[in-house]
Amino acid sequence: MHVFLSVGEPSGDQHAAELMREFSRRVPDARFSGFGGPEMQAEGFDCLYQLTDLAVMGIGQVLPLLRKFYGLVQDAKEYLRLQKPDAVVLVDFPGFNWWIARAAKEIGIPVYYYCPPQLWAWAPWRIRKVHRFVDCILSVLPFEAEWYKKHGVDVEYVGHPFFDEVAEHPLDTTTLAKMSSDDLQTIGILPGSRKQEVLRNFPVMLDVMTALYEKHPNIQFQVACYKKWHFDQCSKLLNEYDAQLPINLHLNKTAEVIEAADFCLIVSGSVSLELLARKTPAIVMYRGTLTTYLLCKALLTVDYMSLPNLIANRAIMPEYPLVRQQSRHIDRMTAQLDEWISHPELVDETRKQLTVIAKAIVETGGVQRAAEVLVNRLSKTDSTNQSMKNRAA
């Protein structure tokens, strides 16, 4: 069985690697190829191009890469035509993956979308693309599955892979002990998984940390760096900032940072689900371009940008989308964190609210269910095709 995957986000790379592992347990001779990242390659993925290197957001960042994206779509068309894999599995990254879905359907290859685009949150008219190019949605959130079902889409609710990864991730107790302190409050800093997110958001976070440390010398900051590049870039920005802060950078220790923190300051992203699973309160920020901000204002159909708030339909995690007037937002975020430091009971109340939501939404087994759905559906398709060949013979 040959499965072509197209994955463009660092978090999607992690989810797809887990999916490949579970799929291979059920189909030991399965073959995987396509576009992805290093974690998928570590599972034996035949990577035609490391698409996670192009994980960007916003018109300004996408435009310079249009020629590259176009070339990759053409490469995918030719590869799919020659190899004819049994299925195409897409993970997030819809701006690019719609074109891969279109190419697959033109050839007659079934398309499955795992961790699908959040059409329920913005630009819902794109549901037409799902009807045209996707055979089945593997939904990761229960209300998302209901939304797709309501819109006439073949959807299977499987559960979010983040919850499996949290449950199965063994915490590094040595690192956890070093991060924690009885004398200091620990604030986790998560500057994002995309390169541009780090470049745009971490300097603002440094401003907040500096302002906060001036008020509270009994705090420490633990920074979670997703990849080596992020670690190096955060180190460079920190050196250029030239501030005396009680700050430690950690590579591949996001779970430990979240677990050790009393609360966090994070860049909006799917990592917010890990904070939900670990019941760690956070303030959510996102510094984007003016163009991106205006597009979001025009296209968004929901009131929040972080998944825990969307699930709860209220602002459990305070949100700060930044475009202009950064000093005003820095002051507001500093004031919010200052209040949490000064009044721990507010943090406890937020943690209680997260616990209630987590009990309702957090469940493990999502990756296994996704693999089972794919294997069962592809096996049925294979059996049907074989029967048709036999009748024809």
Side-chain angles (χ1 to χ4, degrees):
M1 207 176 273
H2 179 192
V3 178
F4 181 100
L5 293 108
S6 182
V7 181
E9 301 285 355
S11 58
D13 180 29
Q14 182 180 1
H15 302 332
E18 294 282 350
L19 180 65
M20 288 168 54
R21 192 177 303 126
E22 286 297 329
F23 195 101
S24 295
R25 286 175 183 164
R26 293 157 176 77
V27 186
D29 59 345
R31 175 190 170 200
F32 304 96
S33 65
F35 302 136
E39 295 198 36
M40 296 166 67
Q41 292 173 61
E43 294 296 325
F45 181 65
D46 179 12
C47 189
L48 308 182
Y49 184 83
Q50 192 159 301
L51 190 61
T52 53
D53 290 342
L54 303 183
V56 294
M57 282 188 70
I59 296 297
Q61 296 173 34
V62 171
L63 285 176
L65 296 173
L66 282 180
R67 179 173 292 182
K68 181 63 179 178
F69 284 132
Y70 177 80
L72 290 175
V73 171
Q74 299 310 308
D75 292 344
K77 284 183 177 181
E78 183 66 9
Y79 183 87
L80 294 173
R81 185 181 65 81
L82 293 175
Q83 296 292 323
K84 290 186 173 59
D86 296 286
V88 165
V89 176
L90 313 172
V91 181
D92 207 348
F93 214 55
F96 177 82
N97 275 339
W98 289 130
W99 294 97
I100 302 301
R102 181 193 294 264
K105 293 303 292 181
E106 287 176 354
I107 303 169
I109 300 170
V111 176
Y112 297 85
Y113 219 131
Y114 185 43
C115 301
Q118 297 170 349
L119 305 190
W120 41 269
W122 64 287
W125 59 83
R126 293 177 298 163
I127 194 69
R128 292 174 298 196
K129 291 184 178 180
V130 177
H131 287 298
R132 290 175 62 192
F133 305 131
V134 178
D135 291 270
C136 180
I137 291 284
L138 304 181
S139 176
V140 295
L141 296 167
F143 70 86
E144 174 184 76
E146 287 301 318
W147 188 90
Y148 275 110
K149 188 179 296 183
K150 181 181 176 182
H151 286 79
V153 173
D154 185 0
V155 58
E156 297 260 11
Y157 170 65
V158 294
H160 207 291
F162 247 127
F163 301 140
D164 285 335
E165 289 152 17
V166 170
E168 295 170 5
H169 182 91
L171 292 171
D172 183 341
T173 53
T174 303
T175 300
L176 201 56
K178 290 178 180 178
M179 290 181 184
S180 304
S181 172
D182 293 331
D183 302 321
L184 302 173
Q185 277 199 289
T186 301
I187 301 176
I189 305 294
L190 281 67
S193 60
R194 301 183 185 94
K195 293 180 179 181
Q196 289 299 321
E197 286 176 343
V198 174
L199 291 173
R200 296 187 67 85
N201 288 273
F202 193 60
V204 176
M205 291 174 146
L206 285 170
D207 285 337
V208 174
M209 285 186 269
T210 301
L212 202 61
Y213 184 55
E214 289 175 356
K215 295 185 176 186
H216 299 279
N218 61 328
I219 59 176
Q220 62 174 345
F221 303 101
Q222 307 292 351
V223 181
C225 301
Y226 195 71
K227 299 292 183 183
K228 181 65 165 58
W229 183 94
H230 302 106
F231 183 92
D232 293 341
Q233 194 62 45
C234 285
S235 298
K236 180 182 176 183
L237 291 169
L238 184 58
N239 289 333
E240 292 173 352
Y241 196 81
D242 194 28
Q244 299 301 313
L245 290 170
I247 185 170
N248 296 296
L249 305 182
H250 303 275
L251 178 61
N252 294 327
K253 297 297 179 184
T254 300
E256 286 75 14
V257 167
I258 294 172
E259 188 71 21
D262 293 293
F263 46 84
C264 294
L265 172 62
I266 73 168
V267 170
S268 181
S270 54
V271 74
S272 63
L273 287 176
E274 182 162 358
L275 284 116
L276 172 61
R278 297 190 184 279
K279 295 92 173 178
T280 302
I283 287 176
V284 184
M285 62 168 286
Y286 197 94
R287 183 188 175 200
T289 64
L290 179 60
T291 303
T292 301
Y293 177 77
L294 293 174
L295 281 172
C296 287
K297 289 287 284 184
L299 300 177
L300 279 174
T301 59
V302 293
D303 296 326
Y304 307 105
M305 62 181 176
S306 58
L307 283 168
N309 288 348
L310 286 166
I311 293 167
N313 197 29
R314 64 184 187 277
I316 294 175
M317 294 183 175
E319 295 183 350
Y320 296 91
L322 282 69
V323 182
R324 294 179 174 177
Q325 296 179 313
Q326 289 180 41
S327 59
R328 177 169 64 88
H329 290 295
I330 289 168
D331 290 344
R332 291 174 61 196
M333 287 189 287
T334 303
Q336 178 74 64
L337 290 167
D338 176 25
E339 190 173 19
W340 278 4
I341 293 171
S342 303
H343 301 281
E345 67 275 11
L346 297 177
V347 179
D348 291 339
E349 178 57 34
T350 301
R351 187 174 287 109
K352 287 177 184 176
Q353 293 183 54
L354 290 173
T355 300
V356 170
I357 300 170
K359 285 181 179 179
I361 198 81
V362 174
E363 59 177 322
T364 59
V367 179
Q368 294 92 325
R369 285 189 290 274
E372 287 169 5
V373 169
L374 283 171
V375 170
N376 291 339
R377 286 186 173 241
L378 293 182
S379 297
K380 288 178 181 177
T381 300
D382 186 58
S383 298
T384 301
N385 291 341
Q386 189 60 50
S387 297
M388 292 174 66
K389 289 179 182 178
N390 291 340
R391 284 198 296 271

